[in-house]
Amino acid sequence: MSPQQPHPLLFRLAQGLLATGLALGSARAAELNLWVMSTTEQQQADMRELLKPHLAANPALRVNVTVLNWESAWAKVTAAAASGQGPDVIELGSTWVPAVSSMGALESIGAQQQRELGGAQAFMPVMWSTTHRHDDPKIYAVPWYADARAAFYRTDVFKKAGVDPRDAFANWGSFKQAMQKINGTEIAGKKIAALGYPGKNDWNVVHNMAPWIWSAGGDFLSADRKRSALNATEAVQAIVYYTSFAAEGLVPRGALEKDSGQIESGFFNGQYAVIFTGPWILKQMATPKAKGGQLETLAASNFAIAPYPAGLKGNATLLSGSSLAIMKSSKHKAEAWKLLSYLTGREAQLRYSQMSSMLPTRLDAMDDPQLKRDPHVAQFLALAKNGRHYPSVAGWGPLESVYLKNLGSMFDMVGGVRGKYSPLAVKQAMDAAALEADQVLNAAQ
Amino acid sequence: MPRAAAPRLPRRRPDPFPYLLLLPALLLMAAVNLTPILQGFYMSLLKLNQFTLAQYLDAPFVGLDNYRRVLFDGASPLRAGLGLALRNTLLYTAVVSLSAIAIGLGMALLMNRDFPGRNLARTLLLLPWIVPSYVVGSLWGFMWQRDVGIINTVLVDWLHLLDERPFWLIGANSFWAIVIPTVWRTWPVLMLIFLAALQSIPEDPYEAATLDGVSRWQQFLHITLPLLKPVILIQLMFQIIDNIYSYNLVSMMFGNGAGYPGEWADLLMPLLTRQSFSYWLFGQGAAVSFVMMALMLVFVGLWLRAFRQQMSDTPHA
Amino acid sequence: MPKPSPRARALLDLLTWAIVGLSLLPIAWMLLSSLRNYSEIANGAQLGAGLDLRWQNYRELWIRVDFFGFFRNSLIICGLSTLLSTACAVCAAYALARLRFRGGNAFSLAITVTQVIPGMLFFLPLYMLYRQLGERYGLVLLDSMQGLVFLYVALFTPASIWIMRGFFVAIPRELEDAAIIDGCSRLGAFVRIVLPLSAPGIIATATFVFLLAWDELFFAWVLTSSAEVQTIPVGIRLFVSQFQHRYDLMMAAGAVSTLPVLLVFFAGQRYFVKGLAAGAVKG
């Protein structure tokens, strides 16, 4: 049976069911569908609030906000790209833009439109670089918000163990020593572990490892972006260094089966003295428990932020975030553009930053004195300048899956549930990973 | 499927009545099964990847190349982990199906006696089966936690069966972390079915056997088991199909992490779904699906052919 | 069967109840954990804190997510799917069990085939089909209740036909034949004689479909994106990925989403237990 010809009876039946939905759908001309990811706790309400000024200025406009979650969004964006049918404006993770644009699903953003926003120089350069493929000058998205990663540490624990945070986070050597000294310090009669990070059951495996790899002078792809570089000496060194904390018991073994959310919660509960994560937990630590936050915890009143300790090649952090793009299938491109430029504008970025504690991507918003009044946010803004991002290649999506799986498997080794952990074993595993990654890169070409 | 002899209808033009009755089901199956199968088969002949996805069925035609790649080309990214997932799926299916049937049967024998609170026990036993599988995933994912999970608390702290707290959610143990909840959730309904079958067995052969001095174990082997064989064979077939296609549990237990359950808990369906979406190799994905489907059809066909006669000798309730 | 000694009987009774208890432990654990304080759970001290039960977890769950919405959607979608799928199955199964016609065997074979199609194979074609129906005829099937209902009816009808068939085969043919001889039409005999007699089977099949639909995660996950149509499994999974550390709420969510199936099961239990067994036994 051909899909174009439904049975008439069925058709009538469905039409009846639909009558109400259709009546709503055809009411107004300028109706935009916007897909965003769930970043704040009350995304729908926050988006309504965020859009208010724009809707007030455009009374004929209606915006339907659909909140997706990062996990399910991938399948839906794929389907939308494949079918050529999706929302008018869509939020894409910074690592997704090259891939989704290579599917031909995104409208490119012209020179005139870029000028309206202030051009590339108005945005953080790293974030701007994620809006197009490295080998294609066409811009497909506009950076909306950013996040960087840093160490969150317990000031009370450091004090009790007699460790100076400035020394601790100076370089890899001093960081290891500091962790050894801190491990097992007693706070309120409870022993605290030095460091907490998740193992393989987590989306962030690659993101967690990236700053260390870069700091060691390693990278994910070769300079020509054609081959994997994960098995190069520098990268392997970084992976060995990072995993050694778990191998030496500075990260409790039980953490290895957890995910980032559980590790963060462990930090709030006083299980770890240090974790590496993004600015989003600032919001949680500023929200009272009655509203689902962590304000009353010991951690929330005794923490500070530090950059990653420096490796041989300095210290980098992962700067990532989200961009907004217009889908080719949109029937209201002019309105979609107006919505997009509103949301990526200075005021909306600042407002959204307050709601989500993510960072703005516009330089003029980053310099906002009000934003900088929060010392933690100011610190993150400063760190973001040191941020790096993954190479902007069309095949990054599949590649990240391969890396995620293979880097994740390291933790089986570290956890002692598969093979024996040793620097040599890590190197061998990374050789295999690089081989698999090269195949994926080839398949994407 | 055995079909009882139908009454002889007068030989005139075909009676439209049966076809009218089948029509709704036929339409549904055509729309949701036939169309996708045909399209899916066509997809398996196309180079359908990230760059051609937007063209969908107009993507370049590559004939059987996708089949060659997934079956023989070691460099196909989709194949990474396929072998492991196949191994796990076969093991998982065998262990789950056999133990669920064994436990279900054993429990049905226990339940097929008069004892206080029998009806209540039967109802209570079915509860695990009613708990939705996605809840089973998050519930057991919680219980299997190494440090704070109740299972390790019981095994290590209370019973002292183990000295050290093992990991259940990473490493080889994760195989048991998916097998045990599945068995837990599956056997009750099998118990119910076997119980119904047991109750339909007449008393006489047992009475005769008892008079002849045959032991209870011998009675079970020579009277009960042969009479239950048809039911067991059917249920075993359904179990095998269900378990090969298992998706929910793994996706709930590991999905909120990377969605990669590791080399011992990765099953075919979760793998196929994950790979299809993360690599966008939909052509090759469709090819894998078809190979799977063909193998399953061969299996079901052989099974029905081998056991059709025995499966139709069902005791009547 | 031979009568075992009273002592053996008592031992067997004990064993039976022990197994019943053991198999209920995980559910008890879910309920208990849903009533604990989450930082106690995080520290593995669920049992140490006495019997102070936090019923407010359930209230918090309700406030945190629009659980009621997911609930309502699941009820509507599963309810409609159950009705439609059972109706289709009753018709088709009757034809297969009682009438002889060309293509009957082919149809039985087709039913078997549908049971071995991997769900992933459906996804893109189904998505495209829904999209085309939407574009050409204005049928909103993507991200909509009717889309899921249509899919579920189609998905669960084949297996329901199988179960229903077992029932029809078990109903004595003589009753029907007598009615036909008395001048009843075949349709009349079906409606007046067969349907009432097979009521337990119909209820069993309906319960079965409801349980299956309530459990469906994959398609609900990929075909819906707005909270107005998302079902409980999707809601739970979204919830899990947002509140990974709140095991107390997760367990409460689990308990709450088990409740409706539990009620349906208890309502249909009398028929279901008999029915499913008979259907499955007959194959």
Side-chain angles (χ1 to χ4, degrees), chain C:
Chain C
M1 288 228 205
K3 298 269 175 288
S5 69
R7 232 182 95 178
R9 280 182 63 115
L11 271 177
L12 286 177
D13 293 355
L14 199 68
L15 179 66
T16 313
W17 276 103
I19 295 176
V20 173
L22 201 65
S23 73
L24 289 181
L25 277 181
I27 296 176
W29 192 242
M30 171 170 83
L31 293 176
L32 184 67
S33 303
S34 75
L35 294 169
R36 308 309 305 190
N37 175 312
Y38 74 92
S39 50
E40 283 166 19
I41 294 183
N43 292 321
Q46 290 99 317
L47 289 174
L51 276 175
D52 164 34
L53 302 180
R54 289 171 53 97
W55 294 102
Q56 60 263 46
N57 284 345
Y58 284 83
R59 211 187 59 209
E60 192 183 341
L61 173 73
W62 229 258
I63 298 168
R64 267 314 154 73
V65 255
D66 182 16
F67 231 75
F68 180 74
F70 293 129
F71 223 86
R72 182 200 54 212
N73 299 339
S74 262
L75 278 181
I76 296 175
I77 289 171
C78 299
L80 279 177
S81 306
T82 303
L83 278 178
L84 295 172
S85 180
T86 310
C88 293
V90 165
C91 294
Y94 179 73
L96 285 183
R98 275 291 196 269
L99 310 174
R100 212 170 62 149
F101 55 96
R102 286 172 71 91
N105 280 330
F107 187 80
S108 297
L109 186 70
I111 291 182
T112 316
V113 174
T114 58
Q115 298 307 296
V116 296
I117 309 175
M120 188 51 215
L121 194 60
F122 278 178
F123 171 62
L124 262 189
L126 190 80
Y127 193 91
M128 294 300 181
L129 172 76
Y130 275 17
R131 199 209 79 179
Q132 280 173 348
L133 289 175
E135 275 188 351
R136 289 178 196 227
Y137 303 102
L139 290 177
V140 184
L141 292 170
L142 286 174
D143 194 21
S144 71
M145 290 204 190
Q146 55 270 22
L148 278 187
V149 169
F150 180 71
L151 176 69
Y152 287 174
V153 175
L155 232 44
F156 303 136
T157 296
S160 323
I161 295 177
W162 223 330
I163 299 181
M164 244 357 267
R165 224 190 108 263
F167 279 99
F168 288 135
V169 170
I171 293 174
R173 184 184 300 279
E174 295 76 35
L175 292 172
E176 220 180 326
D177 289 345
I180 292 178
I181 292 166
D182 288 349
C184 220
S185 69
R186 198 147 253 299
L187 182 67
F190 173 52
V191 173
R192 266 179 248 148
I193 311 285
V194 182
L195 277 189
L197 278 176
S198 53
I202 295 175
I203 296 174
T205 310
T207 314
F208 169 76
V209 175
F210 190 88
L211 293 178
L212 276 183
W214 196 267
D215 208 34
E216 205 286 324
L217 171 64
F218 177 74
F219 285 104
W221 181 248
V222 291
L223 290 179
T224 62
S225 43
S226 44
E228 288 80 46
V229 300
Q230 279 169 333
T231 55
I232 288 244
V234 179
I236 297 233
R237 188 146 166 202
L238 289 172
F239 182 78
V240 167
S241 49
Q242 204 171 359
F243 299 93
Q244 290 114 329
H245 52 288
R246 292 298 303 271
Y247 277 108
D248 54 338
L249 297 188
M250 261 167 60
M251 293 302 115
V256 168
S257 51
T258 307
L259 198 66
V261 260
L262 198 70
L263 292 178
V264 167
F265 177 74
F266 276 126
Q269 191 205 5
R270 257 183 54 217
Y271 306 103
F272 187 70
V273 171
K274 237 170 73 187
L276 186 81
V281 168
K282 294 270 150 33

Side-chain angles (χ1 to χ4, degrees), chain B:
Chain B
M1 263 58 6
R3 303 205 310 117
R8 296 235 165 252
L9 293 172
R11 259 217 165 280
R12 276 180 293 131
R13 62 182 179 81
D15 181 7
F17 186 53
Y19 298 101
L20 275 176
L21 286 177
L22 285 187
L23 192 66
L26 258 178
L27 283 174
L28 285 167
M29 280 159 66
V32 173
N33 292 300
L34 188 64
T35 316
I37 289 190
L38 294 180
Q39 271 195 26
F41 181 67
Y42 190 62
M43 270 165 64
S44 74
L45 305 176
L46 302 176
K47 187 182 166 75
L48 200 59
N49 63 19
Q50 178 182 356
F51 302 97
T52 56
L53 200 52
Q55 300 163 31
Y56 193 43
L57 294 184
D58 297 325
F61 187 85
V62 291
L64 295 176
D65 191 52
N66 289 325
Y67 288 90
R68 181 186 65 77
R69 279 173 189 272
V70 295
L71 289 178
F72 307 113
D73 181 2
S76 160
L78 209 64
R79 284 218 354 187
L82 199 63
L84 287 174
L86 185 67
R87 175 200 69 187
N88 295 343
T89 308
L90 292 178
L91 275 174
Y92 170 84
T93 304
V95 176
V96 169
S97 307
L98 293 177
S99 33
I101 284 186
I103 299 176
L105 185 59
M107 206 51 201
L109 290 171
L110 274 179
M111 296 290 292
N112 193 25
R113 306 172 308 120
D114 266 329
F115 66 94
R118 181 167 171 230
N119 281 335
L120 178 66
R122 190 183 61 189
T123 307
L124 289 177
L125 276 179
L126 279 170
L127 287 182
W129 178 65
I130 295 167
V131 177
S133 58
Y134 49 89
V135 175
V136 173
S138 50
L139 168 62
W140 283 81
F142 166 55
M143 299 202 305
W144 286 129
Q145 302 242 324
R146 178 180 181 268
D147 291 347
V148 299
I150 183 68
I151 292 171
N152 274 353
T153 305
V154 171
L155 290 180
V156 181
D157 298 349
W158 297 359
L159 300 179
H160 300 288
L161 286 176
L162 300 165
D163 292 334
E164 209 191 321
R165 305 178 90 85
F167 277 112
W168 293 101
L169 294 170
I170 61 176
N173 282 350
S174 52
F175 177 72
W176 299 107
I178 59 173
V179 163
I180 291 171
T182 316
V183 173
W184 172 70
R185 185 174 184 266
T186 312
W187 73 259
V189 72
L190 290 167
M191 179 273 298
L192 184 69
I193 291 167
F194 293 141
L195 186 58
L198 280 176
Q199 286 172 349
S200 68
I201 299 179
E203 288 277 324
D204 330 357
Y206 294 102
E207 281 162 12
T210 311
L211 284 180
D212 291 347
V214 178
S215 77
R216 283 170 62 76
W217 174 244
Q218 293 291 330
Q219 289 182 26
F220 171 73
L221 279 187
H222 298 294
I223 305 175
T224 316
L225 215 49
L227 282 170
L228 286 186
K229 200 171 167 196
V231 195
I232 295 177
L233 286 172
I234 292 179
Q235 291 310 316
L236 191 55
M237 186 180 86
F238 282 132
Q239 277 301 307
I240 290 174
I241 297 177
D242 276 1
N243 289 319
I244 293 238
Y245 288 123
S246 176
Y247 172 80
N248 279 12
L249 183 85
V250 170
S251 119
M252 276 309 290
M253 208 182 274
F254 298 93
N256 56 326
Y260 171 63
E263 54 192 278
W264 281 97
D266 211 9
L267 298 183
L268 277 172
M269 285 322 288
L271 171 105
L272 198 58
T273 310
R274 195 178 68 240
Q275 307 268 62
S276 298
F277 282 121
S278 57
Y279 298 160
W280 294 303
L281 295 172
F282 282 100
Q284 291 187 31
V288 176
S289 302
F290 262 97
V291 172
M292 256 176 95
M293 206 181 123
L295 291 177
M296 286 307 287
L297 278 180
V298 169
F299 160 74
V300 173
L302 287 177
W303 191 274
L304 289 179
R305 178 176 285 255
F307 300 121
R308 161 162 288 186
Q309 199 47 51
Q310 304 177 45
M311 292 203 294
S312 58
D313 295 339
T314 307
H316 284 257

Side-chain angles (χ1 to χ4, degrees), chain A residues 204-374:
Chain A
N204 288 294
V205 173
V206 182
H207 309 328
N208 289 342
M209 210 82 93
W212 304 96
I213 291 178
W214 287 325
S215 301
D219 208 342
F220 290 91
L221 290 183
S222 60
D224 62 3
R225 297 182 176 83
K226 292 225 162 63
R227 278 177 305 105
S228 170
L230 203 62
N231 56 343
T233 318
E234 295 84 359
V236 172
Q237 255 167 11
I239 297 165
V240 169
Y241 177 72
Y242 184 71
T243 48
S244 69
F245 288 93
E248 291 165 23
L250 300 172
V251 171
R253 287 184 72 204
L256 298 180
E257 64 174 12
K258 295 193 161 58
D259 59 31
S260 295
Q262 293 167 332
I263 294 293
E264 284 162 9
S265 143
F267 181 71
F268 304 141
N269 282 330
Q271 291 173 14
Y272 318 114
V274 179
I275 62 169
F276 288 87
T277 187
W280 49 84
I281 72 165
L282 290 175
K283 186 83 192 170
Q284 276 172 283
M285 288 193 287
T287 311
K289 276 203 168 161
K291 289 192 163 174
Q294 303 288 345
L295 181 65
E296 295 86 350
T297 57
L298 211 53
S301 44
N302 290 289
F303 81 95
I305 295 167
Y308 281 84
L312 277 175
K313 292 283 157 67
N315 64 343
T317 181
L318 171 71
L319 180 64
S320 60
S322 265
S323 294
L324 291 171
I326 297 173
M327 298 241 350
K328 258 194 187 145
S329 58
S330 167
K331 295 190 175 71
H332 306 286
K333 295 211 171 91
E335 287 85 357
W337 169 250
K338 268 166 79 181
L339 176 65
L340 187 152
S341 42
Y342 165 75
L343 283 173
T344 55
R346 182 172 183 275
E347 293 313 312
Q349 283 201 359
L350 282 172
R351 187 84 193 81
Y352 195 60
S353 174
Q354 284 166 355
M355 292 170 172
S356 62
S357 72
M358 293 294 192
L359 313 173
T361 57
R362 289 187 69 96
L363 295 171
D364 55 1
M366 289 177 79
D367 285 336
D368 184 77
Q370 191 126 24
L371 195 64
K372 283 189 169 166
R373 203 177 293 162
D374 180 336

Side-chain angles (χ1 to χ4, degrees), chain A residues 69-90:
Chain A
N69 111 321
W70 283 106
E71 242 185 287
S72 65
W74 193 236
K76 284 181 191 124
V77 170
T78 303
S83 67
Q85 200 191 37
D88 298 273
V89 179
I90 185 167

Side-chain angles (χ1 to χ4, degrees), chain A residues 169-189:
Chain A
F169 292 98
N171 56 54
W172 283 15
S174 67
F175 182 60
K176 186 58 118 359
Q177 280 174 354
M179 291 298 97
Q180 284 159 347
K181 205 161 169 194
I182 279 173
N183 201 29
T185 303
E186 269 190 30
I187 291 289

